[in-house]
Amino acid sequence: MDTLPLLLGTAWLLPLASFALILLFGSRMGKAGRGAGFVATAAIVAAFVLSATALTVWLSAHPIEAPAGHSSATADSAEHGAAAKENHAADTHASAGETTAAKKIIPPVAGDWYELGAFGTKRITIGYYIDALTIAMFFMVTMVASCIHIYSFGYMHEELSEVTDHQVTLASGQHLHRRGRFHRFYQYLSLFCFSMLGLVIAGNIAMVFVFWELVGICSYFLIGFYIERKSASNAANKAFIVNRVGDFGMIIGLMAVWTGMGTFSFGDYEMKDAQGRETMRPGIFSQARPAGNDFQLQAPDGMVKFAKRDEIAEIVQKSENAADAELQIEKRIDGWRKDGFGYGWLIVAGLGIFCGCVGKSAQFPLHVWLPDAMEGPTPVSALIHAATMVAAGVYLVGRFYPVFTPEVLMVIAYIGCITLFIAATMALVATDIKRVLAFSTVSQLGYMMLALGFGGWLAGIFHLFTHAFFKALLFLCSGSVIHATHTNEMPRMGGLLKKMPYTGITMLIGCLAIAGAGIPWIIGLSGYYSKDFIIAQGLVYQHANPLHGWLFYFSVAGAGMTSFYMFRLWYMTFLGTPRDKHVYDHAHESTPSMLVPLVILAVMSVISGWKVPFTNLELPALLTQAIPSGTEEGAVSNLTKFYIPAEHLSHESGVHFFATGIAFLMALLGFVLATAFYGTKRLDPNDARRTFATLYRIFIHKWYFDEAYQKIFVRPALAISGWIAWLDKNGLDWIADNSARLMGLCARLDDWFDRKFVDRLIDLVAAGTYRLGIRLKALQTGSLRQYVMLLAVGLAALFMIMNFYWNFAMSKM
Amino acid sequence: MIMAEYLIPYISPWLAYLLVGLVQCGLLLTVVLLVAAVCNWLERKVSARIQDRLGPTRTGGRFGWLQSPADGIKLLTKEDLVPAAADRRLFLIAPYVSFAISLAVYLAIPWAGGNAFSADPQKAHDWTCVRLDAAVFFIMAVSGLEVFGVILGGYASGSKWSLYGAMREAAQVISYEIPLGLCVVIPVLIAGTMDLVQMGNQQSGWFWNWYLLHDPFTFATFWIYITCAVAHTNRAPFDLPEAESELVAGFLTEYSGFRWTIFFMAEYGAMFAISALAAILFLGGWNGPIPVAQILGLTWEHGAIAGYAGDVLGFCNLFAKASAGVIFMMWLRWTLPRLRIDQVMTTCLKYCLPLASIMLAGVLAWNFTLPGRMFFGISPGSPPRMEKQAETMDESSSEGVAVSLSRDPQERIANWQFQIANCKLND
Amino acid sequence: MATDHYPHMPPINWPSVFFLFFAITACAFAVAVVVTGNIVRMACYLVVSLSAVAGLFFLAGAEFLGAAQLLVYVGGTMVLLVFGVMLTAQGPFVSMRTGGGQWVMALLIVCALAVILISVSTIVPAWNKPLPANEKPVASTASESARLGMGLLGLRTERLESPPDPAAGGMSGYLLMFEIISVHLLVVLIGAAYLARARRRKDEG
Amino acid sequence: MELLTQPIGLSHYLVVSALLFVCGVACMATKRNLLGVLMGIELVLSGANLNFVAFGSPYLQSKSLGMDGQMIALFVIVLAAAEAAVALAIALNYYHTHATVDVDKADELKG
């Protein structure tokens, strides 16, 4: 299997070559650097071809077997047949936990290209780690990137000539004139593709970190592409700084891994020991989940030893020689591990790595940078801030999944849930078309995190893929609209379907896909499948942990909101009467170079959940090959007593049936509401806005996160410096002056207190009682329907309480 | 459904079931449509006879028997009008609602008894679409629904006359449902079951086994039932909802052509159904006045062919009785003048309802004092019902927990205990 | 039988098909009741929905109950319909439309309730699965409605068949409840008549 | 397809009844017409009845409620009829005094 590293390695380095070429000769390539686009596009298309070849190679080496008994309806009904019986038997065998013989573990292709340095037994290398996930990511990233490269020819054509930026006004009162930057745009795109592919192929966590930062800097460059605009440079700074916060956590995680495991490598690797013999040394995954322990999670030796370092020092002091001490430590290490030493470090490592993912994937509380990142050109938003880079956080969680303890997964689930909910609420009210999509991206990323936290590795990663396709599609469509109308504001659009039919219809497909449309239980667009996986996993999780059932309900609510805001967007943009005559007259359908990628992506977002006819080939089945060993059976947290359910439980027909039903019901509700408000105009949005005035205010201000960060972090920094200056000027003088004044004040205060306070206390009690009565009076509104609603709310609350706590008590018994 | 299993080797199962289902639906539909067509012709002939005329004589020969198809073609070719003020959707759908419901009644009506005391209901071979445990109740419930289409049609027409007609219909039908229900309860009480097949089979034998002649009270009940049935189906003299002299044509005012025809077919279907119910409840159902089938040995004890032949005979019997009921209703229509609306309600609430209640009490008293006596209490020959029931119980076939009415409380308890023991034996 | 000839295609389970038909009809028309504004149409849809529920009763083996549902509920709805026609003014100044905000609020609450109820109704794994074939009840020849009748008269026949379970209570049926309900119905009849009586005397006096 | 080939479980009934119930609540909460509210109540009750019947059906569960399920449902139907009678009488009275059946107008006793 040396072909795979060769193929993927080439695919990875091609964009680097393109970057280098454009960097050196970019401005001289064709007229105004037009050739740069061709170079970059050729590189990424070649990379795509290589990735596709790699996928074929992989599939021919590891063909996908027929789905196991409970995973699909067809197999379920075929259980009568004799052929299915064998299959079923094999399946039950595997799920019984006998991982050694019956279950086929597909070993990843791991190895090193180059050694950067070795420090005793430890070393840092440039390596690769290729499994089904890597291959699929390569395929997806290069495909989306190819589409976006082609699309950018149309979108960025203004940059080929002299540009007048109307959004920048110089001190002279004129708009800015500058040279076009077509080649520079492609130069950054190439760099980004190189970094992203490197991040995916990386064989060790240190390499991941390096490319992690590289994609970060690409993001910074591209957000600030229109650097002369104040808002763009601010947004770029914000993205960069907020990401540093996450990276800080990631560095802590890296230190914990380095200290505890002594290596950064994911897979096992060969190394010369002191005697010069080649020995296999365990990588991160083998240390966290050794085959000897049935692939179950345990604290690695290094972490246990680190946690007990005082005692080890004592042992070493007491024993005569080193070998003896070693022996003694070996003897006691299992006991320590059983007592839970070292487990805490595992949590620290997991949380640290996840911190990085929070920053990159724009999860709560570091989600604030992504909406502002929409200052960049739209293809960039599609590629970097929707399809690939922000999904890298999810990818890393998926890659590092074997090392995460159940407690860390719970944190992930909670963060994901909060993110998905607040982002969805913001998307409900936003009017900037790209911002709606940005909030939607944050929300969907939260979904993926939530799924991973639920124990649904496959669900989360599958959604990552389908989301990449349809979100890239949606962004490109919005780019097409913006390109045609020169505005981002949806209230100024409307009725564009007639002018831009291709864009409108492909965007409708994207909306349907993200809303999870389909014919329930029969067939659907890609989002229908991946969302079902997540909801089903949530249902199982809720049954296993009634106490954390809130997560499930929020995810269901999120599904409804997704459908609502997406269709709201579509209706406001494409249907209805044109609200701005000027914009409408100006609008036109985009050039073919922009439409072709739209069609390709639309097709992908329809079919990427389907099975290739006459074969067993489907995306989830491919990804199933990459599920980390030992995580399939779920886990139990020893610290807080909750369960991560096994993922195959969620594929049982009963659970899946109801999950599909719930997901479809919520999507339908969102669609119906959106239609009622924006499609048929039966209901008035202003009416709803008045009814929920407080909520609307919170949503439109993005839950006041920016304001809060401004108040908590930025202002204090400024204020503290201000204070010190002020103290310097007037400090001591002021004390002397005012101590005298204070005495007078005290006397007056006493007088005031006597009159105002003591006297009025009694008055206040009376007035308070009176006011309380007036307030309570309003409760009896006499509105029958309101009473009914309160009744329903009470009922829902009662059910929830029963559901969570009664079951919880039952489970304790 | 048995037919479907024969078909399964040749075509795929779901298709077989679908096909057989469709065939059965088609049969039922044909019966109702034929009944309606024949009734239409009959009505003209009967009315003509009563008014000393000839009626249709030209279309299709001497008896004018092609008159109904000719009328049908005429109505089908008429324009389908919808008034501007109408609630269009409801207006269009109302006739079909009425018709579908009138058709649904036929689901539970047995046309022949089959193997009278078969242990296994699956092998009873009774001529019923769906043999229901509570068939009487079902028919009452569904036939009460028929008014629904009329109300919808009346409301949706957007005309005052139609609305008046519909309101009258609602008031009338809902009121008459109460005495009608009371009348139906009486045979149910005697039979101890609501299964129409069992009720019909309990009246087998000579005509004095009919519930009509069970005792004086049932005899009176039959006439109350007929009165209420006429009112329930909106036939003259109770045809207030479409009173031409007052309301143009009542709820039918705005209807024309095909939809009007549908309403009419629904009415005839309902008439026929309620007559068939009367025949089963009071007139022995498929059992003729003289048990010809039994005398000739055409019963299921003598093999399936004889059984089927007997059933065909029974079907003819029931059909004849039901047709007689329909002709009786026509006779009433062309002889009696129409009542006023207040008179209609008075008839129901002041006469029919108290009378039916008294009859109920009377039948109860009669059964307590003279249990098991047939033919006005004289009982010529032993009642076959008791005999057969006892037999079947010995065979532990369990004809169900029938509530039998007995004079002596001790005896009643003993009877229960016997049946309970019977239940236990079955398990 | 059918499986022998068509091993690749499991036979269609007809009760399930009918269940699906009735269930979808019931739910769809229930939603239509909520959505439509015209009171007569609402009643019309309600009748269809309730009839479909009666069909579900038939499928669950409760024939008497199904017929009772048709007779009582649907008849009751008919009266509602008549009242709807009588009492709903069609005048141009009377609007009974509900505002958009209230619709949204109601829908939100109700959908929350729906999700909770549905997830609760699937929470017990045994409920999700159909009854195993070996536990199918033997088709009882004893009439179900006769059993109901005996139950109302104070005798529970099904308890006779199985050994008495002390936890499930004794043999006594529902005679007391039956009587209470009878009296209750009488009271309601009189009360309703009193409430709804026409006050002509006052107008004349 | 598996829905068509497999027997129905108890959950399916419960889901249908939940949907009916919820539709009824929605109807009560959104209709301003008193009769519409009544229809909502009918829907709610029929949803509850379906629950009882499903739990009492021997075809869905080996250990069912038995006859109790049907019996309770029967009583509910009867009581619903009684409730409808009284409610209609109230509606009629309300119409006599207010000349409308809009429930939002019936807030004279509000605080």
Side-chain angles (χ1 to χ4, degrees):
Chain A
M1 290 290 280
D2 276 345
T3 36
L4 278 179
L6 184 68
L7 284 172
L8 295 186
T10 319
W12 163 44
L13 292 177
L14 272 173
L16 179 64
S18 146
F19 166 69
L21 277 177
I22 300 173
L23 184 66
L24 295 175
F25 312 112
S27 52
R28 269 168 287 164
M29 285 176 172
K31 178 180 161 266
R34 190 180 174 81
F38 290 112
V39 170
T41 311
I44 194 70
V45 169
F48 170 61
V49 172
L50 288 171
S51 306
T53 317
L55 180 64
T56 336
V57 170
W58 175 271
L59 283 174
S60 58
H62 307 289
I64 293 170
E65 286 152 27
H70 48 237
S71 60
S72 80
T74 46
D76 205 32
S77 52
E79 247 172 291
H80 307 287
K85 248 174 208 156
E86 277 176 26
N87 193 350
H88 187 68
D91 176 57
T92 46
H93 202 54
S95 61
E98 293 197 20
T99 38
T100 45
K103 187 177 169 262
K104 223 171 87 190
I105 296 175
I106 297 175
V109 183
D112 293 328
W113 278 309
Y114 182 73
E115 189 176 283
L116 288 172
F119 318 98
T121 57
K122 299 174 178 179
R123 61 181 197 162
I124 295 176
T125 62
I126 294 176
Y128 51 89
Y129 184 90
I130 300 170
D131 60 1
L133 176 60
T134 315
I135 304 256
M137 280 297 282
F138 254 79
F139 185 76
M140 183 274 280
V141 170
T142 50
M143 178 166 186
V144 174
S146 302
C147 287
I148 284 162
H149 274 71
I150 297 167
Y151 179 89
S152 304
F153 273 105
Y155 193 85
M156 301 303 285
H157 74 92
E158 285 173 4
E159 293 287 337
L160 284 170
S161 52
E162 197 92 336
V163 177
T164 308
D165 196 332
H166 292 286
Q167 298 191 27
V168 181
T169 311
L170 299 176
S172 60
Q174 284 172 332
H175 292 305
L176 173 78
H177 288 277
R178 61 171 170 81
R179 290 182 59 196
R181 298 189 192 125
F182 192 73
H183 64 282
R184 205 184 289 174
F185 179 76
Y186 274 101
Q187 169 189 332
Y188 292 147
L189 275 191
S190 282
L191 181 61
F192 170 75
C193 290
F194 161 70
S195 323
M196 185 67 206
L197 294 177
L199 169 60
V200 174
I201 203 173
N204 57 59
I205 187 80
M207 196 173 152
V208 167
F209 186 70
V210 171
F211 286 106
W212 190 259
E213 296 305 323
L214 266 176
V215 290
I217 197 73
C218 290
S219 162
Y220 172 79
F221 286 146
L222 285 165
I223 295 171
F225 188 73
Y226 303 115
I227 191 71
E228 295 86 358
R229 298 182 191 165
K230 181 82 177 145
S231 56
S233 66
N234 271 351
N237 281 337
K238 187 170 175 183
F240 205 69
I241 293 166
V242 170
N243 263 308
R244 291 290 75 66
V245 179
D247 290 341
F248 182 68
M250 188 155 170
I251 290 173
I252 292 176
L254 286 186
M255 288 196 278
V257 168
W258 184 251
T259 315
M261 308 206 189
T263 178
F264 279 142
S265 176
F266 289 133
D268 303 348
Y269 56 97
E270 274 185 358
M271 195 180 183
K272 286 201 176 75
D273 64 0
Q275 280 80 35
R277 280 171 305 183
E278 289 277 342
T279 48
M280 285 302 279
R281 303 182 64 88
I284 294 176
F285 297 159
S286 307
Q287 286 194 29
R289 290 178 181 270
N293 194 23
D294 218 8
F295 293 107
Q296 292 309 302
L297 189 65
Q298 68 170 23
D301 289 355
M303 288 190 177
V304 178
K305 282 179 189 162
F306 186 71
K308 283 300 240 183
R309 56 194 179 279
D310 295 343
E311 203 161 324
I312 288 174
E314 220 168 274
I315 291 171
V316 171
Q317 265 184 352
K318 274 184 195 158
S319 56
E320 292 99 42
N321 55 16
D324 188 37
E326 195 94 331
L327 214 65
Q328 268 195 347
I329 293 165
E330 281 302 314
K331 229 185 286 167
R332 300 175 66 174
I333 196 160
D334 277 333
W336 291 337
R337 183 179 290 136
K338 210 159 278 167
D339 292 341
F341 291 100
Y343 193 70
W345 286 106
L346 210 51
I347 296 180
V348 169
L351 282 181
I353 300 291
F354 178 59
C355 252
C357 300
V358 165
K360 189 85 18 188
S361 279
Q363 298 292 296
F364 168 84
L366 302 182
H367 61 274
V368 289
W369 67 270
L370 189 55
D372 290 350
M374 295 301 128
E375 287 295 336
T378 308
V380 170
S381 306
L383 180 61
I384 302 187
H385 302 119
T388 55
M389 184 193 82
V390 290
V394 181
Y395 166 78
L396 187 60
V397 172
R399 175 60 79 211
F400 228 67
Y401 200 70
V403 187
F404 288 139
T405 66
E407 292 79 14
V408 177
L409 287 182
M410 187 173 83
V411 172
I412 293 177
Y414 266 94
I415 295 283
C417 183
I418 296 170
T419 311
L420 103 85
F421 186 72
I422 58 177
T425 54
M426 295 177 204
L428 290 181
V429 296
T431 54
D432 181 327
I433 186 166
K434 275 180 82 178
R435 287 211 172 212
V436 173
L437 290 175
F439 289 130
S440 161
T441 305
V442 176
S443 174
Q444 297 300 316
L445 290 169
Y447 247 116
M448 299 169 203
M449 289 293 185
L450 182 67
L452 289 164
F454 277 161
W457 189 90
L458 181 58
I461 298 294
F462 183 30
H463 197 57
L464 158 60
F465 281 91
T466 57
H467 172 257
F469 288 125
F470 54 63
K471 189 49 68 64
L473 169 65
L474 286 168
F475 262 111
L476 293 192
C477 288
S478 78
S480 180
V481 171
I482 294 168
H483 194 67
T485 59
H486 294 288
T487 177
N488 283 9
E489 284 300 310
M490 289 195 288
R492 293 180 59 196
M493 300 173 185
L496 290 177
L497 188 59
K498 219 174 283 171
K499 287 270 176 125
M500 324 179 63
Y502 290 101
T503 309
I505 285 164
T506 45
M507 191 156 199
L508 178 62
I509 291 172
C511 289
L512 286 169
I514 195 173
I519 305 167
W521 307 295
I522 295 174
I523 198 167
L525 307 189
S526 57
Y528 162 81
Y529 295 102
S530 54
K531 202 157 280 185
D532 277 3
F533 271 49
I534 297 176
I535 300 274
Q537 186 68 22
L539 201 58
V540 173
Y541 187 84
Q542 184 231 353
H543 285 186
N545 310 302
L547 207 56
H548 304 291
W550 306 98
L551 298 174
F552 167 66
Y553 291 119
F554 274 106
S555 70
V556 169
M561 284 194 273
T562 307
S563 166
F564 177 80
Y565 60 66
M566 286 322 295
F567 283 104
R568 168 177 178 269
L569 181 150
W570 196 77
Y571 283 134
M572 282 180 82
T573 312
F574 288 107
L575 288 190
T577 50
R579 283 176 284 268
D580 190 325
K581 187 88 172 57
H582 176 71
V583 165
Y584 182 75
D585 292 340
H586 195 262
H588 57 88
E589 184 60 285
S590 305
T591 53
S593 72
M594 290 168 77
L595 292 180
V596 169
L598 292 188
V599 174
I600 294 173
L601 285 172
V603 170
M604 281 313 283
S605 37
V606 171
I607 64 167
S608 59
W610 292 354
K611 184 182 278 192
V612 180
F614 309 116
T615 64
N616 292 319
L617 182 59
E618 53 176 348
L619 187 53
L622 174 65
L623 293 175
T624 308
Q625 290 184 340
I627 294 181
S629 315
T631 60
E632 304 95 335
E633 291 306 314
V636 184
S637 163
N638 297 321
L639 293 182
T640 48
K641 205 77 200 157
F642 73 93
Y643 307 89
I644 303 291
E647 193 165 14
H648 61 73
L649 287 179
S650 74
H651 302 326
E652 281 191 9
S653 64
V655 175
H656 220 82
F657 175 74
F658 289 114
T660 309
I662 290 175
F664 186 73
L665 186 78
M666 294 311 294
L668 197 67
L669 172 73
F671 170 69
V672 167
L673 273 184
T675 310
F677 274 121
Y678 300 100
T680 62
K681 305 257 165 59
R682 276 187 84 128
L683 303 178
D684 184 12
N686 292 323
D687 205 351
R689 209 169 288 157
R690 273 192 298 278
T691 313
F692 303 103
T694 323
L695 281 180
Y696 178 75
R697 215 165 37 242
I698 293 175
F699 293 165
I700 201 82
H701 285 103
K702 296 178 256 172
W703 292 71
Y704 297 100
F705 269 105
D706 284 336
E707 285 82 349
Y709 288 166
Q710 190 77 20
K711 271 197 185 132
I712 298 171
F713 299 118
V714 182
R715 285 268 186 75
L718 295 175
I720 286 171
S721 47
W723 287 345
I724 290 168
W726 180 80
L727 261 181
D728 220 29
K729 262 191 267 167
N730 341 349
L732 291 169
D733 293 1
W734 186 86
I735 293 173
D737 270 3
N738 282 289
S739 53
R741 213 178 292 164
L742 190 70
M743 290 309 288
L745 202 72
C746 275
R748 251 182 290 157
L749 195 73
D750 189 41
D751 171 49
W752 175 84
F753 180 83
D754 216 30
R755 270 193 287 131
K756 296 270 167 166
F757 215 76
V758 180
D759 287 0
R760 284 192 62 188
L761 193 67
I762 292 139
D763 289 353
L764 266 178
V765 170
T769 318
Y770 179 73
R771 234 171 277 142
L772 188 70
I774 296 280
R775 283 275 173 83
L776 284 179
K777 190 178 85 167
L779 272 183
Q780 195 183 0
T781 54
S783 164
L784 190 63
R785 293 179 303 115
Q786 195 182 7
Y787 294 165
V788 170
M789 281 189 212
L790 289 178
L791 215 72
V793 169
L795 187 65
L798 200 68
F799 258 101
M800 276 218 185
I801 291 166
M802 266 166 72
N803 187 4
F804 297 142
Y805 298 105
W806 188 58
N807 277 3
F808 186 61
M810 292 285 276
S811 68
K812 283 268 162 121
M813 274 182 356
Chain B
M1 292 296 122
I2 300 165
M3 255 159 70
E5 276 158 30
Y6 292 124
L7 285 176
I8 282 171
Y10 307 110
I11 47 179
S12 61
W14 65 270
L15 197 61
Y17 279 105
L18 198 70
L19 218 59
V20 172
L22 282 179
V23 166
Q24 287 182 347
C25 285
L27 276 178
L28 206 58
L29 205 63
T30 317
V31 168
V32 177
L33 291 182
L34 269 183
V35 163
V38 172
C39 282
N40 187 14
W41 172 79
L42 208 60
E43 180 119 43
R44 291 161 187 269
K45 279 301 199 188
V46 170
S47 65
R49 187 65 44 187
I50 288 169
Q51 295 169 352
D52 216 4
R53 294 185 284 119
L54 282 177
T57 52
R58 298 204 184 156
T59 330
R62 193 165 158 238
F63 298 106
W65 54 274
L66 276 181
Q67 187 64 43
S68 312
D71 279 355
I73 291 165
K74 185 195 80 182
L75 286 169
L76 279 180
T77 49
K78 273 192 165 182
E79 191 189 351
D80 188 18
L81 288 172
V82 180
D87 185 337
R88 193 177 164 83
R89 203 184 307 168
L90 294 184
F91 183 82
L92 293 183
I93 210 171
Y96 302 115
V97 171
S98 216
F99 183 67
I101 291 168
S102 120
L103 205 58
V105 175
Y106 285 84
L107 272 183
I109 292 182
W111 296 101
N115 194 357
F117 298 107
S118 155
D120 184 0
Q122 295 286 323
K123 291 177 186 155
H125 297 296
D126 49 282
W127 290 23
T128 322
C129 276
V130 184
R131 183 169 172 181
L132 283 177
D133 200 19
V136 180
F137 197 26
F138 178 80
I139 290 176
M140 286 306 299
V142 174
S143 68
L145 279 183
E146 205 186 317
V147 62
F148 188 58
V150 174
I151 297 180
L152 283 189
Y155 164 79
S157 293
S159 139
K160 281 199 180 66
W161 306 123
S162 301
L163 192 59
Y164 278 134
M167 286 291 147
R168 280 184 180 186
E169 165 105 6
Q172 184 177 328
V173 170
I174 289 168
S175 310
Y176 272 96
E177 208 153 88
I178 302 164
L180 193 68
L182 277 175
C183 291
V184 166
V185 161
I186 288 168
V188 168
L189 204 66
I190 300 170
T193 174
M194 289 200 286
D195 185 348
L196 277 174
V197 179
Q198 283 188 43
M199 289 180 77
N201 283 334
Q202 283 176 10
Q203 303 176 53
S204 65
W206 290 85
F207 60 88
W208 53 72
N209 284 341
W210 291 0
Y211 287 143
L212 177 68
L213 304 177
H214 184 273
D215 56 61
F217 298 106
T218 50
F219 190 78
T221 309
F222 176 69
W223 299 107
I224 301 171
Y225 176 89
I226 289 290
T227 315
C228 297
V230 171
H232 197 71
T233 47
N234 296 320
R235 294 286 298 180
F238 298 102
D239 60 344
L240 272 299
E242 41 186 306
E244 299 90 347
S245 50
E246 303 167 31
L247 300 181
V248 188
F251 65 91
L252 288 171
T253 308
E254 305 293 347
Y255 279 96
S256 67
F258 188 58
R259 288 175 208 287
W260 185 84
T261 322
I262 296 273
F263 262 129
F264 250 70
M265 285 197 285
E267 185 180 326
Y268 281 122
M271 271 166 70
F272 195 77
I274 211 136
S275 303
L277 185 65
I280 298 171
L281 289 181
F282 292 100
L283 302 177
W286 43 86
N287 301 299
I290 303 161
V292 180
Q294 272 96 331
I295 292 166
L296 293 179
L298 295 175
T299 55
W300 281 89
E301 283 101 71
H302 299 92
I305 297 171
Y308 266 114
D311 279 349
V312 171
L313 216 61
F315 173 73
C316 293
N317 242 321
L318 180 57
F319 210 86
K321 284 174 191 170
S323 307
V326 171
I327 291 173
F328 180 76
M329 285 187 187
M330 291 177 183
W331 179 21
L332 280 183
R333 174 171 175 186
W334 297 104
T335 38
L336 294 178
R338 184 182 294 130
L339 269 61
R340 274 204 323 269
I341 182 74
D342 62 316
Q343 287 170 332
V344 171
M345 300 314 272
T346 310
T347 316
C348 172
L349 297 173
K350 288 197 179 160
Y351 297 102
C352 288
L353 187 57
L355 273 178
S357 309
I358 291 167
M359 292 307 136
L360 183 63
V363 168
L364 274 175
W366 186 275
N367 270 295
F368 265 103
T369 49
L370 302 164
R373 300 291 171 83
M374 294 288 143
F375 198 49
F376 285 62
I378 304 166
S379 178
S382 61
R385 176 165 74 104
M386 288 300 179
E387 231 173 56
K388 292 269 177 148
Q389 213 166 26
E391 265 173 36
T392 51
M393 279 179 177
D394 288 342
E395 291 160 17
S396 81
S397 67
S398 163
E399 202 52 44
V401 188
V403 184
S404 64
L405 298 165
S406 167
R407 182 173 22 174
D408 186 8
Q410 289 288 324
E411 195 185 316
R412 280 166 71 204
I413 291 168
N415 200 349
W416 270 350
Q417 280 168 350
F418 170 68
Q419 286 177 359
I420 287 159
N422 196 27
C423 287
K424 274 183 183 163
L425 264 178
N426 287 331
D427 296 325
Chain C
M1 8 167 250
T3 42
D4 295 339
H5 303 288
Y6 288 91
H8 61 277
M9 188 183 148
I12 285 183
N13 187 308
W14 286 96
S16 304
V17 175
F18 281 107
F19 170 83
L20 216 59
F21 171 72
F22 284 131
I24 290 173
T25 313
C27 295
F29 279 91
V31 171
V33 169
V34 178
V35 174
T36 190
N38 181 334
I39 191 80
V40 178
R41 282 196 187 181
M42 267 169 72
C44 175
Y45 297 149
L46 183 68
V47 166
V48 179
S49 179
L50 292 179
S51 307
V53 172
L56 289 179
F57 286 174
F58 278 107
L59 278 183
E63 294 174 0
F64 186 83
L65 214 57
Q69 164 101 356
L70 280 181
L71 190 74
V72 179
Y73 256 148
V74 181
T77 311
M78 213 107 68
V79 179
L80 268 181
L81 208 160
V82 174
F83 271 71
V85 176
M86 276 177 7
L87 302 187
T88 306
Q90 305 281 350
F93 303 110
V94 186
S95 164
M96 290 212 220
R97 279 193 62 169
T98 316
Q102 280 171 326
W103 264 104
V104 175
M105 181 109 80
L107 274 183
L108 287 181
I109 290 170
V110 149
C111 274
L113 197 61
V115 168
I116 288 166
L117 282 179
I118 290 173
S119 66
V120 165
S121 53
T122 58
I123 208 166
V124 176
W127 293 354
N128 289 332
K129 298 186 190 84
L131 192 62
N134 54 353
E135 288 179 25
K136 283 266 153 63
V138 191
S140 168
T141 50
S143 144
E144 191 67 32
S145 37
R147 278 165 187 272
L148 276 182
M150 294 295 274
L152 285 179
L153 286 183
L155 184 72
R156 304 193 51 172
T157 46
E158 92 276 14
R159 291 273 163 85
L160 297 168
E161 292 163 16
S162 54
D165 176 10
M171 303 272 294
S172 62
Y174 296 89
L175 187 57
L176 180 65
M177 214 146 133
F178 185 56
E179 287 301 325
I180 290 175
I181 293 229
S182 321
V183 174
H184 178 256
L185 271 183
L186 183 68
V187 171
V188 164
L189 206 64
I190 296 170
Y194 175 77
L195 269 179
R197 78 196 186 285
R199 298 193 181 78
R200 276 204 203 119
R201 207 170 296 162
K202 216 183 232 172
D203 300 339
E204 285 165 7
Chain D
M1 282 310 281
E2 140 188 10
L3 205 62
L4 298 182
T5 55
Q6 295 249 313
I8 288 298
L10 181 57
S11 282
H12 299 87
Y13 269 89
L14 298 191
V15 168
V16 174
S17 94
L19 287 179
L20 282 179
F21 182 89
V22 156
C23 283
V25 173
C27 197
M28 285 200 277
T30 53
K31 299 290 175 203
R32 281 172 64 184
N33 193 325
L34 185 51
L35 301 166
V37 176
L38 275 180
M39 290 181 197
I41 295 174
E42 304 254 317
L43 269 180
V44 165
L45 287 175
S46 92
N49 265 348
L50 193 57
N51 237 331
F52 278 122
V53 169
F55 273 111
S57 170
Y59 301 101
L60 302 174
Q61 241 188 332
S62 54
K63 203 165 155 43
S64 68
L65 266 183
M67 209 173 66
D68 291 353
Q70 284 194 37
M71 212 51 117
I72 293 170
L74 192 63
F75 288 139
V76 170
I77 290 181
V78 173
L79 287 180
E83 169 263 341
V86 173
L88 281 178
I90 292 172
L92 206 57
N93 240 344
Y94 179 56
Y95 186 74
H96 280 318
T97 50
H98 290 71
T100 177
V101 279
D102 185 352
V103 287
D104 282 8
K105 297 268 158 57
D107 57 358
E108 283 131 7
L109 284 182
K110 78 172 173 204

